Amino acid sequence: MSTGEPHILHGANPYRRMLMPDAMSEVDFSASLGATELTSHRSLAAHRVLGTFYEAETILLPEQGLQDLRTDFDLFYGTDLRRLRESSLSDLEDFAFGFLDDEVDVTGAWTVEALDAYFQHAVAEADAGESPALTAITAARRPTVAADTYLVQLALDGLTEASAMSKNLGGAYGPEQSALFKIFIDEFGYGVHDAKHTTIFAKLLRSRSMASHVHAYWNFYLAAPLATNNYYYYVSRDHAKFFRYVGAVTYAERVFAPSFVKMIATYREVFGDDVDLHYADEHAHIDQHHGRITRDEVLLALAKRHGPGVIPELARGIAEARLLGSWFDEDTAAQIGWADTIGYHRELGLKAAAESDEGRRIDLAAGSPFGTRSHDRTTALVVADGELDLVTTATGEPDRMTRGDAVLIPSGRLYGLQAVSPTCTYEVRPIADQ
Amino acid sequence: MIDLRRHNTVLVGHERYFLFQTETRWRMVHDRCPHRGGPLSLARRTPDGRRLSCPWHGTKIGVAALCRTALPMVRSGDEATVVLPGTSQDAPVSVIRRRILANLPPDADAETDPTDCNSSTGSAQPH
Ligand code: FES
């Protein structure tokens, strides 16, 4: 699962994901993530594994057929990995999401009316707010690359959309179950494959000449988007968290429509007519209905039926979705900003390298498996020998670096390296944060 | 939103509420002693920690009973959003304010226990 290929994109094989074994082995899994660490390398590493575990509970089949991938299919869904998953999943969830227990706290005497008032307040705030990621696209020196970076984050969910939701369709819980199912079947295009949301998302990617198979962009998913995607699995897998899931999905469905309206405006500004925004149009439209259905027929209906004992959990789900949504956006904006200003960070890197002690030396050979990582601390990367490419975006040109060049990598920023000369050596030096 | 590091009391109409911490949870509770309306935000806890001793005439108020007066509140990090009760029969059942101003000095200690600090009165006029 952790072996990779030299290409920066993953091939059409949903069973293999690059986990950067060296970077993974640095991670201390003993102390859980804190609320301020969601974009850290620890978080990235944990959420890559967690997301893979969750998806192993769904059906992933490659479009081109299983002929060449039967062995990988057997491994991915096989007993060994299943046992590993089952024995470590709950601990990994505690590691990755335990901080939410401290971070979000719901108190007081709640009523259905109070829940609705809180919900309306949260969405009004979201509607009025800016999206840092969309703002970063508009402000970028290379807006097209920045816009692609945002699409990559959406692809994480876009190509497997509503998979977490499917876990909440079974059982028997009355009209609210049927209401949730209506949303689910919309996402699935009423059984018409061409209308399925994942199909139209793939169309959007292809209109940008981007790959559209599941996890082609695995190496470029950021920690907070991974965490956001995993959160919906987290609260869906464990049915004790059902009411949190409902709060979260109601918030998400309600804020999607206006956020896609903003996205459409930004993408039209960047690409003109040169992009297929059917997916965004569809969400800007259908999510108005989904926002209403989830609020009226799921959230408030469950609150009325099951009473004050569950309302705080519904409120908590709203708060958690809001929090993760803001981290998704900020992490994406930060990555766009960093990838767009590599020249500036190279200058900072030279300065920082001159002031820091020698760090860890790492050799890289041409044709080595490609993977991306981040650091928990701000780090200077210095090329000690040879020539390499610094890769910070999936679709932009990489930055060539040769002996003596350096770059400052802010904590949490994702990057990958490819050797250009047959071998090269670079050094990583942690820098004391200012 | 309430910045918990700076604000701990709000006035809704003529009723005052304050942030009260038990274990790790914060609640926005009624700042009114059932005896004659004394400010429970200025009360001290009894040695067993289970009651507050009202600063006016010494009535002991159970923490559990006080918690039952809590307004619906969601805390997320340092922010808290409270659903405030309506102030007249005609007003909506609840309003939430984006910002609630309180008159604490800007450098008020974040860690201060509101049960024994000199919490200032805040003001939040209903919209
Ligand atoms: S007002 Fe509290 S004891 Fe009298």
Side-chain angles (χ1 to χ4, degrees), chain B residues 20-55:
Chain B
F20 176 63
Q21 188 183 19
T22 52
E23 302 110 41
T24 58
R25 315 195 82 195
W26 291 87
R27 291 179 177 80
M28 182 64 86
V29 298
H30 209 171
D31 191 9
R32 168 185 275 278
C33 170
H35 179 228
R36 288 202 176 170
L40 295 179
S41 56
L42 299 179
R44 291 189 177 274
R45 282 196 198 221
T46 54
D48 65 5
R50 304 223 314 250
R51 290 176 301 166
L52 296 186
S53 185
C54 175

Side-chain angles (χ1 to χ4, degrees), chain A residues 115-192:
Chain A
L115 174 69
D116 195 31
Y118 172 63
F119 175 70
Q120 301 291 1
H121 168 76
V123 297
E125 194 183 62
D127 289 353
E130 290 284 308
S131 154
L134 293 177
T135 307
I137 292 172
T138 319
R141 207 170 37 86
R142 295 177 302 168
T144 54
V145 175
D148 291 346
T149 298
Y150 185 69
L151 279 190
V152 163
Q153 308 315 313
L154 295 182
L156 177 57
D157 166 69
L159 295 172
T160 55
E161 201 164 323
S163 292
M165 184 183 275
S166 70
K167 300 209 174 290
N168 290 307
L169 300 176
Y173 55 95
E176 297 79 23
Q177 184 178 22
S178 303
L180 195 64
F181 190 76
K182 280 191 287 191
I183 294 167
F184 182 77
I185 194 159
D186 273 341
E187 316 273 2
F188 273 69
Y190 310 95
V192 177

Side-chain angles (χ1 to χ4, degrees), chain A residues 102-107 109 125, chain B residues 1 25-26 70 72-73 75 77:
Chain A
D102 295 327
E103 192 62 11
V104 177
D105 193 15
V106 180
T107 52
E125 194 183 62
Chain B
M1 304 292 167
R25 315 195 82 195
W26 291 87
M73 180 170 100
R75 180 187 62 79

Side-chain angles (χ1 to χ4, degrees), chain A residues 53-276:
Chain A
F53 281 179
Y54 287 138
E55 284 193 353
E57 307 281 330
T58 72
I59 309 292
L60 298 173
L61 292 173
E63 201 181 318
Q64 76 276 16
L66 210 50
Q67 291 80 357
D68 297 334
L69 299 178
R70 185 58 213 235
T71 319
D72 283 354
F73 172 93
D74 289 343
L75 271 174
F76 189 72
Y77 293 113
T79 315
D80 289 353
L81 273 183
R82 192 175 66 240
R83 282 192 200 289
L84 178 69
R85 223 164 48 229
E86 285 170 354
S87 64
S88 54
L89 188 50
S90 296
D91 288 339
L92 194 55
E93 285 176 329
D94 286 347
F95 174 86
F97 287 118
F99 72 87
L100 284 174
D101 288 340
D102 295 327
E103 192 62 11
V104 177
D105 193 15
V106 180
T107 52
W110 284 81
T111 58
V112 176
E113 290 72 25
L115 174 69
D116 195 31
Y118 172 63
F119 175 70
Q120 301 291 1
H121 168 76
V123 297
E125 194 183 62
D127 289 353
E130 290 284 308
S131 154
L134 293 177
T135 307
I137 292 172
T138 319
R141 207 170 37 86
R142 295 177 302 168
T144 54
V145 175
D148 291 346
T149 298
Y150 185 69
L151 279 190
V152 163
Q153 308 315 313
L154 295 182
L156 177 57
D157 166 69
L159 295 172
T160 55
E161 201 164 323
S163 292
M165 184 183 275
S166 70
K167 300 209 174 290
N168 290 307
L169 300 176
Y173 55 95
E176 297 79 23
Q177 184 178 22
S178 303
L180 195 64
F181 190 76
K182 280 191 287 191
I183 294 167
F184 182 77
I185 194 159
D186 273 341
E187 316 273 2
F188 273 69
Y190 310 95
V192 177
H193 188 67
D194 285 349
K196 188 172 182 268
H197 285 180
T198 56
T199 311
I200 56 178
F201 186 76
K203 241 176 24 163
L204 163 56
L205 289 173
R206 285 195 295 271
S207 79
R208 285 290 309 129
S209 307
M210 289 168 75
S212 60
H213 55 269
V214 173
H215 301 325
Y217 296 98
W218 171 263
N219 281 322
F220 297 93
Y221 297 148
L222 300 169
L226 276 166
T228 306
N229 200 47
N230 286 342
Y231 170 81
Y232 288 92
Y233 281 104
Y234 168 62
V235 288
S236 300
R237 182 180 85 90
D238 174 1
H239 295 309
K241 299 186 178 76
F242 176 65
F243 294 102
R244 277 163 75 184
Y245 167 77
V246 167
V249 80
T250 304
Y251 177 82
E253 292 289 346
R254 172 59 185 76
V255 301
F256 277 161
S259 77
F260 276 106
V261 170
K262 291 177 196 165
M263 177 186 161
I264 291 167
T266 306
Y267 277 59
R268 285 281 169 242
E269 198 183 316
V270 173
F271 300 112
D273 290 336
D274 222 11
V275 61
D276 183 335

Side-chain angles (χ1 to χ4, degrees), chain A residues 286-304:
Chain A
I286 202 73
D287 284 340
Q288 290 175 20
H289 298 289
H290 290 176
R292 182 179 45 75
I293 294 169
T294 42
R295 170 185 171 264
D296 297 350
E297 299 175 30
V298 188
L299 180 85
L300 298 181
L302 285 170
K304 280 179 199 143

